[in-house]
Amino acid sequence: MCTQPMCQPDIFGYWENIRTRCVMSPATGKCPRDAWDESTIELFLHELAVMDSNNFLGNCGVGEREGRVASGMVSRRHYRLIHGIGRSGDISAVQPKAAGSSLLNKLTNSVVLDILKMAGVRTATSCFVVPMATGMSLTLCFLTLRHKRPKAKYIIWPRIDQKSCFKSMITAGFEPVVIENVLEGDELRTDLNSVESTIHELGADNILCVHSTTSCFAPRVPDRLEELAVICAKYDIPHIVNNAYGVQSSKCMHLIQQGACKGRIDAFVQSLDKNFMVPVGGAVIAGFNSSFIDEISKMYPGRASASPSLDVLITLLSLGASGYKNLLTERKELFAYLSNELMVLAAKYNEQLLKTPHNPISLAMSLGNLNNKGGETVTQLGSMLFTRQVSGARVVPLGTSQTVNGYVFKGFMSHSNDYPCAYLNAASAIGIKKQDVDIFIRRLDKCLKICRKEKDLGDEPKGAQQAPEEDVAELTKKLSLVTSEAET
């Protein structure tokens, strides 16, 4: 029998290593290379929470906002980080009685900036997380520019059919000047000549900024950011980029980097949920001039919720820089896979995958053979996909118009007044898996088969019905069994 004493774990040494990791690793201001386990992250958050005055053992609060929370569940949900971020009038300011929450805010902004640089915008100098989605964050940028250009009342906007982009300009009190896209092959691209002629027509001093877009639904492709940035520099006009879900695309990030190097980009805005897989409600405003980004943060009125900052920090610590890179690589690989699968399926139904090589995230498949009067069959396809639990796919029929804040968009959702065909969109976004693509293709195949049959039966008398192939095969099999049993 062994008489040697069992090796005892160095519990105190382990605890000290954890504390050192929590304190020293974030001190670099960069996202750690390797993922942290959940217990380490929770310990780190508790270390931050005890620095807030509402968690002091002997605290006596006599103010109107003392971090009091009635529900223990709510307190635990927020890791007892109750004070939020910023101070009245400055979302980036440090709160003396909430040192932990303030440190959380500073740390999150630093880690996110590191990820933006890693993703491709290497010369970005500053960013901050704001607890608003992309549209309202764009509005905040426009309101900040108002003080720099008091005479300006127009925003030049190459058309993209997403309401939040349009409403962000209206809400800020400016008049959008819509620049229609030009059709090049299957792609809808920026009309640079129209942008420049509009500047001459309105006068540069009357233009608040150019509001461009990177990530978008095909066949719309990212704006010619480099050329727009050069035009903005030439006429001394600010340039705000809507980079809603562009962080996940090296191509979109490269466009921003090139635009900043060759011309002028004042700020670029991206969604937290679309790029970092966290709940909806946050965005990142970033740029190349720290003083201007500070001005935007100071434009935010009052304190703000720390939830978006907390969510993205937890996510990035749990992934690590290497984990996030792996997600970006997987997304790009699955984009190629989705493209190939859609191309094969399109050929099966005498359709085509639209050629949009400049769009790195979204794909479009024509639906020309389904398009009937009013686009009813195309719309029906979208409904069928949704009821079969396919989310995110969008169908775009011809001839749809919609009025948004008094402006009539002809061909709404197609980014063009008269795109030549109806189509279906699908995207390879961060977090997608091969299984998602395979299931989508199978379900789309079945829906297209049903839609084609119903379209072919459109001229038959009412009441005429045709069973799906699967039902016919099943009935044939049962009939064969009954016949064989009768013979025996």
Side-chain angles (χ1 to χ4, degrees):
M1 183 176 180
C2 179
T3 58
Q4 291 184 353
M6 294 179 63
C7 180
Q8 297 293 324
D10 184 3
I11 296 176
F12 294 103
Y14 174 77
W15 177 255
E16 190 59 34
N17 287 338
I18 291 293
R19 289 180 61 87
T20 301
R21 185 181 187 188
C22 289
V23 174
M24 295 304 296
S25 184
T28 63
K30 295 185 177 181
C31 184
R33 186 191 64 181
D34 299 320
W36 288 14
D37 58 80
E38 290 188 4
S39 60
T40 302
I41 295 173
E42 288 188 337
L43 175 61
F44 174 56
L45 296 177
H46 289 312
E47 291 277 338
L48 292 178
V50 296
M51 298 167 66
D52 284 2
S53 63
N54 61 293
N55 298 313
F56 293 172
L57 291 177
N59 185 63
C60 173
V62 293
E64 83 290 349
R65 188 188 56 80
E66 294 299 326
R68 303 183 182 104
V69 177
S71 168
M73 182 182 292
V74 172
S75 180
R76 291 190 300 274
R77 174 178 177 251
H78 294 276
Y79 290 92
R80 296 181 296 130
L81 293 159
I82 309 302
H83 281 282
I85 56 175
R87 302 185 73 180
S88 181
D90 188 349
I91 196 176
S92 296
V94 172
Q95 298 184 65
K97 65 179 177 181
S101 295
S102 299
L103 180 57
L104 168 77
N105 187 26
K106 298 291 185 182
L107 176 60
T108 301
N109 293 341
S110 182
V111 169
V112 171
L113 180 62
D114 183 51
I115 291 295
L116 294 180
K117 291 180 177 181
M118 182 196 76
V121 186
R122 300 179 306 279
T123 59
T125 60
S126 181
C127 79
F128 69 97
V129 172
V130 59
M132 303 186 296
T134 308
M136 286 302 295
S137 298
L138 287 166
T139 296
L140 191 65
C141 295
F142 301 143
L143 289 172
T144 305
L145 287 174
R146 179 193 292 277
H147 297 281
K148 292 178 170 292
R149 302 174 72 81
K151 291 175 56 180
K153 62 177 182 177
Y154 302 107
I155 296 178
I156 294 179
W157 181 61
R159 176 178 171 178
I160 176 167
D161 290 354
Q162 290 174 301
K163 292 181 183 178
S164 61
C165 312
F166 189 76
K167 288 184 174 181
S168 69
M169 300 178 283
I170 299 291
T171 302
F174 295 96
E175 182 179 333
V177 180
V178 182
I179 305 296
E180 290 294 332
N181 301 300
V182 292
L183 186 63
E184 297 181 9
D186 291 334
E187 292 183 323
L188 290 166
R189 307 210 66 186
T190 315
D191 188 344
L192 296 171
N193 292 330
S194 182
V195 169
E196 197 153 15
S197 64
T198 301
I199 292 173
H200 289 301
E201 179 184 341
L202 298 176
D205 290 341
N206 296 317
I207 298 169
L208 182 81
C209 66
V210 171
H211 176 193
S212 64
T213 305
T214 55
S215 52
C216 54
F217 295 118
R220 174 72 152 81
V221 300
D223 280 319
R224 299 180 188 271
L225 240 61
E226 186 175 329
E227 293 89 338
L228 286 175
V230 170
I231 290 174
C232 288
K234 176 181 177 181
Y235 294 99
D236 194 25
I237 295 174
H239 184 188
I240 305 296
V241 180
N242 173 14
N243 188 45
Y245 47 100
V247 177
Q248 60 193 280
S249 164
S250 57
K251 182 174 288 188
C252 289
M253 297 299 272
H254 176 72
L255 289 173
I256 294 172
Q257 177 63 38
Q258 287 299 105
C261 290
K262 298 293 181 67
R264 176 173 181 173
I265 291 179
D266 294 75
F268 56 104
V269 180
Q270 35 275 308
S271 164
L272 282 184
D273 62 281
K274 293 184 178 75
N275 293 291
F276 299 103
M277 297 184 293
V278 295
V280 171
V284 181
I285 301 176
F288 306 90
N289 184 325
S290 297
S291 63
F292 178 62
I293 301 303
D294 287 343
E295 286 183 49
I296 299 174
S297 71
K298 291 175 182 177
M299 181 61 63
Y300 187 96
R303 293 173 176 84
S305 169
S307 290
S309 296
L310 183 61
D311 290 341
V312 73
L313 180 61
I314 291 173
T315 300
L316 291 175
L317 291 178
S318 64
L319 287 171
S322 59
Y324 191 73
K325 282 182 182 178
N326 290 339
L327 287 173
L328 299 185
T329 301
E330 184 180 26
R331 186 212 68 80
K332 188 179 291 188
E333 291 171 350
L334 286 173
F335 176 79
Y337 179 67
L338 174 62
S339 177
N340 183 68
E341 293 296 300
L342 272 177
M343 187 182 302
V344 172
L345 185 64
K348 178 179 177 181
Y349 291 94
N350 197 28
E351 299 288 356
Q352 62 175 329
L353 182 68
L354 300 180
K355 296 177 181 178
T356 55
H358 290 96
N359 194 318
I361 300 173
S362 176
L363 295 162
M365 186 185 88
S366 69
L367 297 175
N369 293 314
L370 291 184
N371 196 60
N372 55 7
K373 294 181 179 179
E376 294 176 1
T377 307
V378 172
T379 304
Q380 181 189 6
L381 174 62
S383 300
M384 291 171 68
L385 288 170
F386 184 75
T387 56
R388 285 159 177 78
Q389 299 183 50
V390 174
S391 60
R394 43 193 306 274
V395 294
V396 182
L398 294 177
T400 303
S401 293
Q402 187 155 349
T403 301
V404 182
N405 291 97
Y407 188 93
V408 179
F409 288 90
K410 295 180 180 179
F412 187 73
M413 292 200 307
S414 69
H415 322 287
S416 171
N417 289 333
D418 49 3
Y419 195 77
C421 70
Y423 58 86
L424 173 141
N425 280 131
S428 175
I430 190 168
I432 192 172
K433 301 297 180 185
K434 183 176 181 294
Q435 181 184 8
D436 295 322
V437 177
D438 292 336
I439 294 174
F440 165 61
I441 293 296
R442 284 202 304 271
R443 291 177 182 173
L444 177 58
D445 187 10
K446 290 181 180 180
C447 291
L448 286 171
K449 190 178 296 182
I450 294 170
C451 285
R452 184 171 66 176
K453 286 180 180 178
E454 291 183 356
K455 188 172 184 296
D456 292 341
L457 290 171
D459 296 329
E460 290 192 8
K462 290 184 178 179
Q465 295 182 355
Q466 183 173 341
E469 285 184 10
E470 294 86 350
D471 295 343
V472 173
E474 186 66 24
L475 288 170
T476 303
K477 183 178 179 181
K478 290 180 180 179
L479 183 60
S480 299
L481 289 173
V482 171
T483 305
S484 62
E485 289 176 0
E487 289 177 351
T488 56

